[in-house]
PDB file of all heavy atoms in Angstrom:
ATOM      1  N   PRO A 210      -1.095   5.431   9.754  1.00 84.00           N
ATOM      2  CA  PRO A 210      -0.123   5.583   8.666  1.00 84.00           C
ATOM      3  C   PRO A 210      -0.746   6.161   7.394  1.00 84.00           C
ATOM      4  O   PRO A 210      -1.909   5.884   7.066  1.00 84.00           O
ATOM      5  CB  PRO A 210       0.366   4.145   8.418  1.00 84.00           C
ATOM      6  CG  PRO A 210      -0.784   3.298   8.859  1.00 84.00           C
ATOM      7  CD  PRO A 210      -1.410   4.021  10.020  1.00 84.00           C
ATOM      8  N   ILE A 211       0.024   6.980   6.697  1.00 83.00           N
ATOM      9  CA  ILE A 211      -0.371   7.541   5.414  1.00 83.00           C
ATOM     10  C   ILE A 211       0.731   7.238   4.410  1.00 83.00           C
ATOM     11  O   ILE A 211       1.892   7.609   4.601  1.00 83.00           O
ATOM     12  CB  ILE A 211      -0.588   9.063   5.489  1.00 83.00           C
ATOM     13  CG1 ILE A 211      -1.752   9.394   6.419  1.00 83.00           C
ATOM     14  CG2 ILE A 211      -0.856   9.632   4.097  1.00 83.00           C
ATOM     15  CD1 ILE A 211      -1.969  10.884   6.615  1.00 83.00           C
ATOM     16  N   LEU A 212       0.372   6.524   3.343  1.00 84.00           N
ATOM     17  CA  LEU A 212       1.313   6.251   2.267  1.00 84.00           C
ATOM     18  C   LEU A 212       1.165   7.329   1.201  1.00 84.00           C
ATOM     19  O   LEU A 212       0.052   7.718   0.852  1.00 84.00           O
ATOM     20  CB  LEU A 212       1.036   4.892   1.626  1.00 84.00           C
ATOM     21  CG  LEU A 212       0.980   3.661   2.534  1.00 84.00           C
ATOM     22  CD1 LEU A 212       0.685   2.426   1.704  1.00 84.00           C
ATOM     23  CD2 LEU A 212       2.266   3.501   3.301  1.00 84.00           C
ATOM     24  N   VAL A 213       2.293   7.813   0.702  1.00 82.00           N
ATOM     25  CA  VAL A 213       2.285   8.749  -0.418  1.00 82.00           C
ATOM     26  C   VAL A 213       2.754   7.975  -1.646  1.00 82.00           C
ATOM     27  O   VAL A 213       3.874   7.461  -1.676  1.00 82.00           O
ATOM     28  CB  VAL A 213       3.215   9.952  -0.167  1.00 82.00           C
ATOM     29  CG1 VAL A 213       3.088  10.959  -1.308  1.00 82.00           C
ATOM     30  CG2 VAL A 213       2.886  10.606   1.163  1.00 82.00           C
ATOM     31  N   VAL A 214       1.881   7.851  -2.626  1.00 85.00           N
ATOM     32  CA  VAL A 214       2.177   7.078  -3.834  1.00 85.00           C
ATOM     33  C   VAL A 214       2.214   8.030  -5.023  1.00 85.00           C
ATOM     34  O   VAL A 214       1.325   8.873  -5.185  1.00 85.00           O
ATOM     35  CB  VAL A 214       1.123   5.977  -4.071  1.00 85.00           C
ATOM     36  CG1 VAL A 214       1.452   5.169  -5.328  1.00 85.00           C
ATOM     37  CG2 VAL A 214       1.045   5.059  -2.855  1.00 85.00           C
ATOM     38  N   MET A 215       3.256   7.892  -5.839  1.00 83.00           N
ATOM     39  CA  MET A 215       3.385   8.753  -7.010  1.00 83.00           C
ATOM     40  C   MET A 215       3.608   7.920  -8.257  1.00 83.00           C
ATOM     41  O   MET A 215       4.194   6.833  -8.204  1.00 83.00           O
ATOM     42  CB  MET A 215       4.535   9.752  -6.833  1.00 83.00           C
ATOM     43  CG  MET A 215       4.328  10.699  -5.673  1.00 83.00           C
ATOM     44  SD  MET A 215       5.496  12.075  -5.667  1.00 83.00           S
ATOM     45  CE  MET A 215       4.834  13.040  -7.029  1.00 83.00           C
ATOM     46  N   GLY A 216       3.117   8.435  -9.367  1.00 82.00           N
ATOM     47  CA  GLY A 216       3.281   7.751 -10.638  1.00 82.00           C
ATOM     48  C   GLY A 216       3.575   8.750 -11.737  1.00 82.00           C
ATOM     49  O   GLY A 216       3.280   9.947 -11.617  1.00 82.00           O
ATOM     50  N   VAL A 217       4.156   8.284 -12.816  1.00 81.00           N
ATOM     51  CA  VAL A 217       4.446   9.160 -13.952  1.00 81.00           C
ATOM     52  C   VAL A 217       4.098   8.424 -15.241  1.00 81.00           C
ATOM     53  O   VAL A 217       4.324   7.225 -15.374  1.00 81.00           O
ATOM     54  CB  VAL A 217       5.931   9.602 -13.967  1.00 81.00           C
ATOM     55  CG1 VAL A 217       6.871   8.407 -14.071  1.00 81.00           C
ATOM     56  CG2 VAL A 217       6.197  10.580 -15.105  1.00 81.00           C
ATOM     57  N   LYS A 218       3.497   9.155 -16.169  1.00 82.00           N
ATOM     58  CA  LYS A 218       3.167   8.632 -17.482  1.00 82.00           C
ATOM     59  C   LYS A 218       3.704   9.600 -18.531  1.00 82.00           C
ATOM     60  O   LYS A 218       3.808  10.805 -18.283  1.00 82.00           O
ATOM     61  CB  LYS A 218       1.653   8.455 -17.622  1.00 82.00           C
ATOM     62  CG  LYS A 218       1.078   7.463 -16.622  1.00 82.00           C
ATOM     63  CD  LYS A 218      -0.434   7.377 -16.713  1.00 82.00           C
ATOM     64  CE  LYS A 218      -0.980   6.414 -15.651  1.00 82.00           C
ATOM     65  NZ  LYS A 218      -2.445   6.332 -15.656  1.00 82.00           N
ATOM     66  N   PHE A 219       4.011   9.076 -19.718  1.00 84.00           N
ATOM     67  CA  PHE A 219       4.643   9.886 -20.755  1.00 84.00           C
ATOM     68  C   PHE A 219       3.756  10.038 -21.980  1.00 84.00           C
ATOM     69  O   PHE A 219       2.902   9.190 -22.263  1.00 84.00           O
ATOM     70  CB  PHE A 219       5.984   9.260 -21.153  1.00 84.00           C
ATOM     71  CG  PHE A 219       7.002   9.300 -20.055  1.00 84.00           C
ATOM     72  CD1 PHE A 219       7.157   8.221 -19.195  1.00 84.00           C
ATOM     73  CD2 PHE A 219       7.793  10.416 -19.865  1.00 84.00           C
ATOM     74  CE1 PHE A 219       8.082   8.253 -18.176  1.00 84.00           C
ATOM     75  CE2 PHE A 219       8.727  10.465 -18.846  1.00 84.00           C
ATOM     76  CZ  PHE A 219       8.871   9.388 -18.002  1.00 84.00           C
ATOM     77  N   PHE A 220       3.994  11.144 -22.694  1.00 87.00           N
ATOM     78  CA  PHE A 220       3.196  11.466 -23.876  1.00 87.00           C
ATOM     79  C   PHE A 220       4.105  12.005 -24.978  1.00 87.00           C
ATOM     80  O   PHE A 220       5.190  12.532 -24.703  1.00 87.00           O
ATOM     81  CB  PHE A 220       2.133  12.527 -23.549  1.00 87.00           C
ATOM     82  CG  PHE A 220       1.187  12.118 -22.464  1.00 87.00           C
ATOM     83  CD1 PHE A 220       1.531  12.292 -21.132  1.00 87.00           C
ATOM     84  CD2 PHE A 220      -0.033  11.552 -22.764  1.00 87.00           C
ATOM     85  CE1 PHE A 220       0.667  11.909 -20.114  1.00 87.00           C
ATOM     86  CE2 PHE A 220      -0.911  11.168 -21.758  1.00 87.00           C
ATOM     87  CZ  PHE A 220      -0.561  11.351 -20.430  1.00 87.00           C
ATOM     88  N   GLN A 221       3.628  11.892 -26.179  1.00 87.00           N
ATOM     89  CA  GLN A 221       4.307  12.497 -27.320  1.00 87.00           C
ATOM     90  C   GLN A 221       3.334  13.497 -27.950  1.00 87.00           C
ATOM     91  O   GLN A 221       2.216  13.149 -28.316  1.00 87.00           O
ATOM     92  CB  GLN A 221       4.713  11.436 -28.353  1.00 87.00           C
ATOM     93  CG  GLN A 221       5.516  12.003 -29.517  1.00 87.00           C
ATOM     94  CD  GLN A 221       5.898  10.919 -30.515  1.00 87.00           C
ATOM     95  OE1 GLN A 221       5.018  10.339 -31.146  1.00 87.00           O
ATOM     96  NE2 GLN A 221       7.183  10.639 -30.635  1.00 87.00           N
ATOM     97  N   GLU A 222       3.777  14.748 -28.054  1.00 88.00           N
ATOM     98  CA  GLU A 222       2.927  15.786 -28.633  1.00 88.00           C
ATOM     99  C   GLU A 222       3.162  15.865 -30.134  1.00 88.00           C
ATOM    100  O   GLU A 222       4.300  16.010 -30.597  1.00 88.00           O
ATOM    101  CB  GLU A 222       3.218  17.140 -28.005  1.00 88.00           C
ATOM    102  CG  GLU A 222       2.323  18.243 -28.554  1.00 88.00           C
ATOM    103  CD  GLU A 222       2.713  19.622 -28.057  1.00 88.00           C
ATOM    104  OE1 GLU A 222       3.807  19.752 -27.462  1.00 88.00           O
ATOM    105  OE2 GLU A 222       1.953  20.570 -28.279  1.00 88.00           O
ATOM    106  N   VAL A 223       2.095  15.782 -30.881  1.00 91.00           N
ATOM    107  CA  VAL A 223       2.152  15.933 -32.335  1.00 91.00           C
ATOM    108  C   VAL A 223       1.041  16.884 -32.756  1.00 91.00           C
ATOM    109  O   VAL A 223      -0.153  16.574 -32.599  1.00 91.00           O
ATOM    110  CB  VAL A 223       1.983  14.568 -33.056  1.00 91.00           C
ATOM    111  CG1 VAL A 223       2.024  14.774 -34.571  1.00 91.00           C
ATOM    112  CG2 VAL A 223       3.063  13.594 -32.623  1.00 91.00           C
ATOM    113  N   ASN A 224       1.429  18.063 -33.222  1.00 90.00           N
ATOM    114  CA  ASN A 224       0.462  19.069 -33.693  1.00 90.00           C
ATOM    115  C   ASN A 224      -0.615  19.374 -32.653  1.00 90.00           C
ATOM    116  O   ASN A 224      -1.801  19.457 -32.958  1.00 90.00           O
ATOM    117  CB  ASN A 224      -0.199  18.607 -34.999  1.00 90.00           C
ATOM    118  CG  ASN A 224       0.811  18.427 -36.117  1.00 90.00           C
ATOM    119  OD1 ASN A 224       1.815  19.148 -36.178  1.00 90.00           O
ATOM    120  ND2 ASN A 224       0.563  17.471 -36.993  1.00 90.00           N
ATOM    121  N   GLY A 225      -0.162  19.527 -31.420  1.00 87.00           N
ATOM    122  CA  GLY A 225      -1.079  19.921 -30.361  1.00 87.00           C
ATOM    123  C   GLY A 225      -1.857  18.793 -29.717  1.00 87.00           C
ATOM    124  O   GLY A 225      -2.612  19.015 -28.770  1.00 87.00           O
ATOM    125  N   THR A 226      -1.691  17.570 -30.199  1.00 90.00           N
ATOM    126  CA  THR A 226      -2.379  16.417 -29.624  1.00 90.00           C
ATOM    127  C   THR A 226      -1.385  15.568 -28.835  1.00 90.00           C
ATOM    128  O   THR A 226      -0.276  15.304 -29.312  1.00 90.00           O
ATOM    129  CB  THR A 226      -3.033  15.559 -30.719  1.00 90.00           C
ATOM    130  OG1 THR A 226      -3.990  16.358 -31.430  1.00 90.00           O
ATOM    131  CG2 THR A 226      -3.741  14.358 -30.106  1.00 90.00           C
ATOM    132  N   PHE A 227      -1.779  15.164 -27.637  1.00 89.00           N
ATOM    133  CA  PHE A 227      -0.908  14.362 -26.782  1.00 89.00           C
ATOM    134  C   PHE A 227      -1.288  12.884 -26.906  1.00 89.00           C
ATOM    135  O   PHE A 227      -2.418  12.500 -26.606  1.00 89.00           O
ATOM    136  CB  PHE A 227      -1.012  14.803 -25.323  1.00 89.00           C
ATOM    137  CG  PHE A 227      -0.476  16.182 -25.082  1.00 89.00           C
ATOM    138  CD1 PHE A 227      -1.324  17.282 -25.075  1.00 89.00           C
ATOM    139  CD2 PHE A 227       0.878  16.384 -24.887  1.00 89.00           C
ATOM    140  CE1 PHE A 227      -0.835  18.555 -24.853  1.00 89.00           C
ATOM    141  CE2 PHE A 227       1.379  17.652 -24.661  1.00 89.00           C
ATOM    142  CZ  PHE A 227       0.525  18.753 -24.648  1.00 89.00           C
TER     143      PHE A 227
END
Side-chain angles (χ1 to χ4, degrees):
I211 296 176
L212 306 180
V213 185
V214 181
M215 298 192 73
V217 60
K218 298 176 182 178
F219 293 94
F220 301 84
Q221 184 180 65
E222 182 187 11
V223 179
N224 298 327
T226 300
F227 293 95

